């Protein structure tokens, strides 16, 4: 049971990091970033190469940083001019971006899946109540939760976090109060892209690095974002861990149904509580 | 702690509209059929042999789908340069699909309805092949399947227009039989992907080993395709306390499973691990040393000592920088047999070709093979092997390969097959 709980936490923490990035950029900028999965996939491939050539730890620092810079530039160079457009146009543009990223990955790395060993000192297993458990998964849990707490603290306690929260409630009033909301949007895009980078690097030693990994996880991350409530970091955290638990429990007890459980959960939550666990969607 | 993230400025209607639009776009690879074509050479003397090739470009099995999409134009050019069929040349058109059964059907419908193709091959999962089989009569389509292995395709759902150039699951398990019995293991666990192939593989393995006195197989585990986290299954395997493990996971799923099982230290706990379709050259690098010592069915031996094979392997290696593996070889055999049938009949019409291919025996890179008249299942030898260290590269490769005679590979014709 303890192992299954840890499995749920490990999977849920990865979902949480991805869902946070999606929720942030959607929340402030109204950007349905369907390229989020492609960024995650690109980061995993980059982590694979950097880890093989230099070090996983270097990848964990540099890949999210570079992606954050890319996010900042993409917002300043593209999203900023598109915000007034119909959301479907923006969503389609991000989907087009995802196709571009996917093709770049195919050109650079080819189509064969890659696998990366867990980095030292987390390349072994530890005993949990007598059963072996991969120490890298424990690292993923701790690191992901630390990142999530860091983001939450930034939003709650920093001046910029205050501006972000204010702008999310009323963008115009925040701008009238003298806050540079364009810059705010760019920073949020940078954080969102950076989180995709963190998740991509973390997953490389955890699962297979493959071309379609982004599309697969994006759907689940969207479910986490929706179930959690599009405006809440706490809701996203609860939804991610709960979905991880449900998935793992389903794998063990209802294997034939486990693939459907995320969708069933989303339907039930949206029927019972249409705003998600802690969301505040305007209607 | 529950600080609010930025609140969306959009209405629910806009959200739904946006999501629907983009989710629709995500199906676009499927909708954009016939995105590439290759005539595989030019200068035919007669009417071309027009073949639609459909193959998955996403999903757990996409690595194989993409390999077939690379192979098909090469194979067409290779065979056309060798003279084609009495001067007739192969003309291919590629129809990618997204790995889902519905999209494969859509690709096939498009090839037939819009472009008038009457011959189909490519890369197919068992579920896709079963669905396409149901439409062959309606579409007037000849389907030569080099990949799907579910037993039922040449059993309960066999079809006069369906021919299979890959051994079925049960034939692959027959290939393993002597090797597995020789391991002397009396308790097994099993993990197979949750689709027709995986369930057939588990059933056939259970029949195989439970025929030995005192041997048991634990209830199978069937994770869905493209599963990202096998942790819960691995924990259950650990708890079963068996001595052997049987796997029926392929492609990216095989990589993920073996990598995660290695991290748990599970692989060392079994005295032997046996797999069908779990190991091949496309996943060797990714599985790495976790694969050392595993037993399986390579499905093809590039070192086969016949002139056709030697020339094919030489040309393939020159083109792709590695030797071909079983999926590429089976696809090539499909085209070889089709070409030979066209040469015999001087026709590219499904009815004439189906008549010729029924019970057809011809030379291929895998030697002289037959498409059995009763069920259209290829009859040929097969190979049992073990993953060993590749001293030249430091990686892993098939080794200790043993050829198994076609009579020992063969299964009886299913009583459920009614042509």
């Amino acid at each position: 049971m303890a192992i299954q709980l840890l499995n749920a936490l490990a999977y849920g923490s990865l979902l949480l990091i991805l869902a946070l990035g999606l929720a942030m950029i959607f929340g402030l900028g109204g950007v349905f970033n369907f390229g989020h999965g492609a960024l995650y996939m690109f980061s995993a491939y980059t982590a694979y190469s950097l880890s093989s050539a230099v070090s996983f730890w270097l990848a964990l620092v540099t890949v999210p940083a570079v992606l954050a810079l890319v996010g900042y530039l993409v917002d300043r160079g593209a999203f900023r001019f598109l915000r007034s457009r119909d959301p479907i146009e923006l969503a389609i543009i991000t989907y087009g971006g995802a196709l571009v990223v996917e093709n770049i990955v195919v050109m650079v790395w080819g189509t064969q899946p890659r696998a990366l060993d867990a980095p030292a000192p987390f390349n072994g297993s530890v005993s949990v109540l007598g059963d072996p458990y991969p120490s890298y998964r424990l690292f993923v849990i701790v690191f992901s939760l630390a990142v999530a707490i860091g983001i939450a603290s930034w939003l709650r306690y920093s001046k910029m976090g205050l501006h972000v929260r204010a702008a999310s409630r009323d963008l115009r009033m925040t701008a009238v109060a003298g806050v540079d909301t364009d810059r705010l949007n760019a920073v949020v895009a940078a954080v969102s892209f950076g989180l995709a980078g963190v998740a991509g690097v973390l997953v490389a030693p955890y699962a297979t690095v493959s071309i379609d990994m982004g599309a697969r996880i994006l759907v689940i991350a969207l479910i986490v974002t929706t179930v959690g409530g599009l405006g809440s970091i706490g809701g996203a955290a609860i939804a991610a861990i709960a979905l991880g638990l449900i998935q793992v429990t389903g794998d063990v007890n209802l294997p034939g149904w486990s693939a459907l459980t995320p969708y069933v959960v989303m339907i039930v939550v949206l029927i019972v509580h249409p705003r998600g666990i802690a969301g505040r969607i305007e209607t | 702690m529950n600080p609010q993230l930025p609140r969306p400025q959009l209405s629910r209607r806009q959200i739904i509209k946006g999501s629907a639009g983009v989710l629709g776009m995500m199906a676009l690879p499927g909708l954009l059929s016939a995105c590439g074509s290759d005539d595989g050479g030019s200068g035919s003397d007669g009417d071309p042999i027009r073949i639609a090739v459909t193959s998955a470009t996403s999903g757990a099995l996409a690595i194989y789908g993409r390999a077939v999409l690379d192979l098909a134009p090469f194979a067409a050019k290779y065979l056309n340069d060798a003279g084609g069929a009495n001067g007739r040349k192969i003309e291919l058109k590629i129809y990618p699909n997204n790995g889902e059964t519905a999209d494969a059907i859509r690709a096939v419908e498009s090839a037939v309805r819009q472009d008038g193709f009457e011959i189909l091959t490519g890369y197919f999962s068992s579920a896709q092949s079963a669905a396409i089989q149901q439409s062959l009569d309606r579409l007037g389509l000849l389907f030569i399947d080099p990949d799907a292995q579910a037993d039922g395709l040449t059993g309960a759902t066999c079809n006069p227009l369906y021919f299979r150039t890959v051994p079925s699951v049960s034939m692959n398990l027959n290939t393993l039989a002597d090797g597995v019995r020789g391991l002397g293991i009396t308790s097994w666990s099993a993990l197979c992907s949750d689709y027709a192939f995986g369930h057939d593989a588990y059933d056939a393995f259970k029949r195989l080993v439970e025929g030995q006195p005192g041997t048991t197989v634990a209830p199978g585990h069937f994770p869905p395709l493209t599963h990202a986290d096998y942790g819960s299954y691995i924990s259950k395997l650990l708890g079963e306390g068996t001595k052997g493990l049987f796997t029926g996971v392929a492609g990216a799923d095989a990589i993920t499973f073996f990598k995660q099982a290695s991290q748990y230290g599970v692989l060392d706990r079994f005295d032997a691990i046996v797999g069908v379709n779990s190991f091949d050259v496309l996943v060797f690098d990714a599985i790495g040393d976790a694969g050392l010592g595993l037993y399986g069915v390579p499905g093809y031996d590039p070192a086969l000592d016949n002139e056709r094979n030697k020339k094919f392997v030489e040309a393939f290696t020159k083109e792709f920088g590695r030797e071909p593996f079983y999926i590429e070889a089976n696809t090539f055999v499909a085209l070889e047999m089709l070409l030979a049938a066209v040469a015999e009949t001087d026709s590219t019409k499904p009815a004439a070709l189906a008549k010729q291919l029924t019970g057809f025996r011809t030379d291929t890179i895998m030697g002289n093979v037959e498409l059995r008249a009763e069920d259209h299942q290829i009859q040929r030898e097969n190979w049992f092997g073990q993953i060993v260290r590749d001293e030249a590269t430091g990686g892993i490769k098939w080794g200790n390969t043993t050829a198994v005679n076609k009579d020992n590979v063969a299964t009886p014709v299913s009583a459920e097959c009614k042509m």
Side-chain angles (χ1 to χ4, degrees):
Chain A
M1 186 59 197
I3 295 287
Q4 303 296 17
L5 189 64
L6 287 172
N7 283 333
L9 276 173
Y11 184 56
S13 337
L14 277 174
L15 287 179
L16 172 61
I17 297 296
L18 267 175
L20 280 182
L22 270 177
M24 288 193 73
I25 198 164
F26 171 72
L28 186 65
V31 177
F32 269 116
N33 186 9
F34 281 85
H36 206 67
L39 295 172
Y40 161 81
M41 180 264 292
F42 175 81
S43 303
Y45 272 96
T46 310
Y48 165 80
S49 291
L50 260 180
S51 301
S52 304
V54 191
S55 150
F56 171 83
W57 303 110
L58 180 71
L60 188 57
V61 173
T62 55
V63 173
V66 170
L67 270 240
L69 178 63
V70 170
Y72 187 89
L73 296 174
V74 166
D75 187 86
R76 300 297 284 181
F79 290 163
R80 183 157 63 118
F81 305 107
L82 299 169
R83 254 179 215 109
S84 58
R85 308 276 279 271
D86 192 307
I88 192 171
E89 292 179 34
L90 202 47
I92 289 170
I93 288 169
T94 61
Y95 181 65
L99 293 180
V100 171
V101 171
E102 185 176 315
N103 279 290
I104 289 171
V105 169
V106 169
M107 280 192 290
V108 175
W109 285 279
T111 56
Q112 279 185 244
R114 313 282 171 153
L116 182 64
D117 290 332
F122 301 110
N123 49 354
S125 59
V126 295
S127 179
V128 176
L129 300 178
D131 287 325
Y133 191 76
S135 49
Y136 182 73
R137 290 189 175 218
L138 295 175
F139 167 74
V140 168
I141 294 168
V142 172
F143 189 84
S144 301
L145 293 179
V147 169
I149 291 169
I151 294 289
S153 303
W154 174 66
L155 284 171
R156 169 161 281 194
Y157 300 115
S158 74
K159 189 176 177 184
M160 185 170 278
L162 174 69
H163 290 167
V164 170
R165 284 185 287 136
S168 72
R169 287 177 183 275
D170 195 321
L171 192 64
R172 283 185 191 166
M173 278 303 293
T174 309
V176 168
V179 175
D180 182 350
T181 51
D182 274 346
R183 181 168 162 269
L184 217 51
N185 271 309
V187 169
V188 166
V191 173
S192 174
F193 276 50
L195 286 172
V198 170
V201 176
L202 284 178
V203 83
Y206 186 108
T208 304
V209 179
S210 62
I211 298 296
D212 62 331
M213 62 187 287
R216 277 188 275 137
I217 200 85
L218 179 66
V219 175
I220 305 297
L222 280 169
I223 292 173
V224 168
T225 311
T226 309
V227 169
L230 287 164
S232 167
I233 193 170
I238 292 167
I241 303 301
L243 268 176
L245 254 178
I246 290 167
Q247 185 93 52
V248 166
T249 311
D251 285 350
V252 175
N253 299 305
L254 293 167
W257 294 89
S258 67
L260 296 176
T261 48
Y263 307 97
V264 173
V265 169
M266 183 175 72
I267 291 166
V268 170
V269 168
L270 291 183
I271 289 172
V272 175
H273 200 272
R275 294 174 181 177
I277 293 172
R280 295 177 295 112
I281 301 173
E282 291 287 301
T283 53
Chain B
M1 180 184 64
N2 185 23
Q4 293 298 310
L5 283 175
R7 186 183 55 169
Q9 307 279 318
L10 302 166
S11 70
R12 179 182 301 277
R13 184 178 299 275
Q14 284 175 304
I15 292 167
I16 292 169
K17 188 177 162 190
S19 299
V22 173
L23 288 173
M25 288 288 289
M26 290 173 81
L28 201 57
L31 298 171
L32 293 173
S33 66
C35 70
S37 70
D38 192 309
D39 63 7
S42 59
S44 61
D45 295 324
D47 290 340
I49 307 162
R50 299 181 70 237
I51 304 171
V53 177
T54 182
S55 194
T57 55
S58 60
L61 306 177
I63 52 169
Y64 302 127
R66 290 175 189 268
V68 168
L69 290 184
D70 288 341
L71 170 88
F74 160 80
K77 184 172 188 317
Y78 178 93
L79 292 168
N80 286 345
D81 289 348
N86 296 337
R88 288 175 183 252
K89 301 295 173 76
I90 295 173
E91 188 177 293
L92 297 179
K93 193 162 184 179
I94 304 292
Y95 296 82
N97 69 71
N98 65 12
E100 300 294 333
T101 298
D103 200 48
I105 293 284
R106 189 270 322 148
V108 172
E109 294 267 356
S110 174
V112 176
R113 303 274 188 220
Q114 292 175 19
D115 299 326
F117 280 91
E118 294 179 306
I119 303 170
L120 173 71
T121 192
Y123 180 79
F124 308 89
S125 70
S126 292
Q128 289 179 337
S129 290
I132 294 167
Q133 258 188 339
Q134 307 308 313
S135 306
L136 295 180
D137 297 330
R138 178 172 56 84
L139 296 172
L141 184 67
L142 180 78
F143 182 10
I144 304 185
D145 187 348
D147 312 295
Q149 296 176 24
D151 289 337
L153 293 167
T154 48
T157 65
C158 69
N159 184 294
L161 291 170
Y162 178 82
F163 296 83
R164 177 154 68 177
T165 61
V166 62
S168 66
V169 172
S170 288
M171 291 170 75
N172 278 327
L173 267 295
N174 282 351
T175 307
L176 287 168
D178 285 344
V180 169
R181 288 186 192 116
L183 295 172
I185 290 172
T186 55
S187 60
W188 292 87
S189 292
L191 181 137
C192 303
S193 291
D194 189 13
Y195 68 124
F197 161 78
H199 286 273
D200 278 2
Y202 173 73
D203 292 342
F205 183 76
K206 200 167 153 58
R207 281 197 304 273
L208 171 71
V209 299
E210 288 190 340
Q212 298 174 269
T215 303
T216 57
V217 182
H221 303 288
F222 298 98
L225 281 169
T226 68
H227 206 54
D229 189 353
Y230 287 85
S232 52
Y233 295 98
I234 291 167
S235 298
K236 288 196 83 174
L237 290 174
L238 271 172
E240 289 172 350
T242 50
K243 298 292 185 191
L245 172 65
F246 173 73
T247 64
V249 287
D253 287 336
I255 296 169
T256 307
F257 171 72
F258 281 101
K259 191 171 126 181
Q260 293 179 357
S262 174
Q263 289 176 354
Y264 275 80
V266 165
L267 301 178
D268 296 337
R269 296 209 171 186
F270 292 104
D271 292 345
I273 299 175
V274 175
V276 283
N277 286 25
S278 293
F279 325 117
D280 57 67
V281 68
L282 296 189
V283 302
F284 278 167
D285 282 350
I287 288 180
D289 287 358
L292 276 173
L294 308 185
Y295 297 94
V297 179
Y300 166 65
D301 183 0
L304 276 174
D305 190 18
N306 70 65
E307 279 310 305
R308 279 175 176 268
N309 185 60
K310 285 178 184 170
K311 285 181 182 172
F312 168 65
V313 172
E314 183 184 350
F316 184 98
T317 306
K318 189 177 173 186
E319 179 76 15
F320 296 105
R322 62 166 174 80
E323 291 182 337
F325 72 112
Y326 75 98
I327 286 176
E328 293 156 336
N330 288 331
T331 307
F332 191 81
V333 167
L335 293 174
E336 279 186 303
M337 297 196 82
L338 180 66
L339 226 60
V342 172
E344 289 287 334
T345 59
D346 200 28
S347 170
T348 58
K349 290 297 173 190
L353 288 173
K355 187 177 176 187
Q356 179 63 37
L357 286 168
T358 301
F360 190 43
R361 183 183 283 277
T362 188
D363 288 332
T364 69
I365 56 170
M366 294 200 200
N368 191 262
V369 303
E370 178 192 3
L371 285 166
R372 190 161 60 182
E374 293 83 355
D375 58 3
H376 299 175
Q377 170 62 57
I378 196 168
Q379 304 296 306
R380 64 163 171 83
E381 68 176 348
N382 209 350
W383 296 268
F384 175 74
Q386 187 176 21
I387 307 292
V388 298
R389 172 76 64 203
D390 185 343
E391 299 298 342
T393 64
I396 58 175
K397 65 173 186 177
W398 282 112
N400 306 326
T401 306
T402 307
V404 179
N405 184 282
K406 72 180 175 65
D407 294 332
N408 292 332
V409 172
T411 53
V413 175
S414 168
E416 295 179 296
C417 174
K418 310 285 184 199
M419 288 287 183

